[in-house]
Amino acid sequence: MPAPERIPPGGLTGTELITLLTKGELTVRGQVRDASNAVLFCTVAYEGEERSCVYKPVAGEQPLWDFPDGTLAGREVAAYEISEVTGWGLVPPTVLRDGPYGEGMCQLWIDPPSGPSADGEPPLLALVEDEDPGDGWKAVVRAEVDEGRTALLVHADDPRLRRLAVLDAVINNADRKGGHLLPAPDGRLYGIDHGVTFNADDKLRTLLWGWAGEPLTTEAVEALDRLELALEPGTALVTRLAELITAAEIDALRGRVEGLRSAGLHPGPSGAWPAIPWPPV
């Protein structure tokens, strides 16, 4: 079944944005200094169009003992490719390209909401004192906030977050933090920082456990059906992924999609890996 049509961010079509990010001239404007790897804020310009973007050169990546294969940049692009097949558009347009410091990931910058509408944007995460999360919220875990005092970490019962929880289960996201959730001015929600994904071993670590054990929505099942077809051997998606992640990771990806579709449920923590990222935000 075809993916639903979406309007991409930035006033250009999805294809035009990918062309801009791939062929445009990158100019470094600054650096995100609190990141563990090199993250450069840039502009990219092509045929009269210019947008802000993030450029993460492979040369600036720190090695990870538990992700010894491939690159953070390759996995970030793979996450975008999978997101596009679902039809949800949860990852900003992302490409792998050469830049001022060599090959790296280049991703469209998402501006935060501003003005009166931003003030009314409901929070996605919260800490509550009660045992029950309350209407409109899903409980994640009880956490210590001060010495001797705990609070319940909750996330919004938001369909945008629920889609992202499914995507994270598919790509085996080991680091879904609150700071990786970007509401956009048009009301959409994006997830970023997908460098530690696609491991062949179960690494799912997220703040979005609120639906664990609940049935998948109809739209999630349809998205998984699209992914199953797109991940059959020899497809264009598999050929593209082979340039970004390993064959073992592609096989594991295919197995996770089939497993989720068969179970029909949101997964829960495996117990073999810390379930909550640290720091959570």
Side-chain angles (χ1 to χ4, degrees):
M1 64 190 70
E5 291 186 5
R6 295 176 293 101
I7 301 174
L12 299 176
T13 68
T15 300
E16 289 169 340
L17 284 169
I18 292 298
T19 300
L20 172 65
L21 292 170
T22 303
K23 297 184 178 182
E25 181 180 357
L26 273 179
T27 303
V28 177
R29 303 296 186 184
Q31 181 177 6
V32 180
R33 295 195 176 275
D34 59 351
S36 55
N37 299 279
V39 180
L40 303 176
F41 176 73
C42 303
T43 55
V44 59
Y46 182 70
E47 293 187 345
E49 294 286 349
E50 181 176 287
R51 297 291 185 276
S52 298
C53 63
V54 172
Y55 163 53
K56 299 181 182 180
V58 172
E61 296 181 4
Q62 300 294 322
L64 298 172
W65 67 268
D66 53 342
F67 283 80
D69 300 315
T71 64
L72 302 179
R75 290 189 286 270
E76 292 235 40
V77 178
Y80 166 72
E81 298 284 351
I82 294 299
S83 169
E84 288 300 284
V85 175
T86 67
W88 291 332
L90 296 170
V91 179
T94 311
V95 302
L96 193 66
R97 59 162 291 170
D98 194 30
Y101 299 101
E103 185 177 66
M105 180 277 278
C106 184
Q107 183 176 82
L108 186 72
W109 179 268
I110 301 299
D111 288 316
S114 60
S117 60
D119 297 335
E121 176 75 19
L124 299 173
L125 300 167
L127 288 168
V128 298
E129 301 289 341
D130 298 333
E131 293 295 326
D132 186 273
D135 292 341
W137 296 95
K138 306 291 285 188
V140 180
V141 68
R142 182 156 287 277
E144 183 174 339
V145 292
D146 291 314
E147 187 173 345
R149 187 172 73 90
T150 63
L152 187 64
L153 176 64
V154 300
H155 64 68
D157 189 4
D158 186 315
R160 301 173 301 172
L161 286 180
R162 191 165 190 170
R163 295 177 192 124
L164 200 55
V166 175
L167 177 68
D168 284 343
V170 167
I171 66 176
N172 199 14
N173 193 351
D175 196 32
R176 175 59 72 205
K177 297 176 180 176
H180 300 165
L181 306 173
L182 298 184
D186 61 2
R188 294 174 61 180
L189 179 70
Y190 293 96
I192 61 168
D193 285 353
H194 296 108
V196 284
T197 49
F198 295 102
N199 201 294
D201 298 327
D202 183 9
K203 299 279 189 183
L204 185 58
R205 187 167 59 175
T206 176
L207 292 178
L208 304 180
W209 289 117
W211 295 282
E214 294 187 16
L216 296 171
T217 62
T218 299
E219 69 167 4
V221 171
E222 292 174 348
L224 291 172
D225 286 343
R226 287 192 288 273
L227 279 169
E228 274 196 301
L229 288 173
L231 287 168
E232 290 181 353
T235 63
L237 176 63
V238 170
T239 299
R240 175 62 175 141
L241 291 176
E243 302 171 351
L244 303 168
I245 59 178
T246 68
E249 288 168 338
I250 294 173
D251 287 341
L253 167 64
R254 191 178 288 119
R256 286 191 299 273
V257 171
E258 293 171 353
L260 282 168
R261 182 65 180 87
S262 177
L265 303 172
H266 285 270
S270 68
W273 177 255
I276 305 294
W278 187 260
V281 176

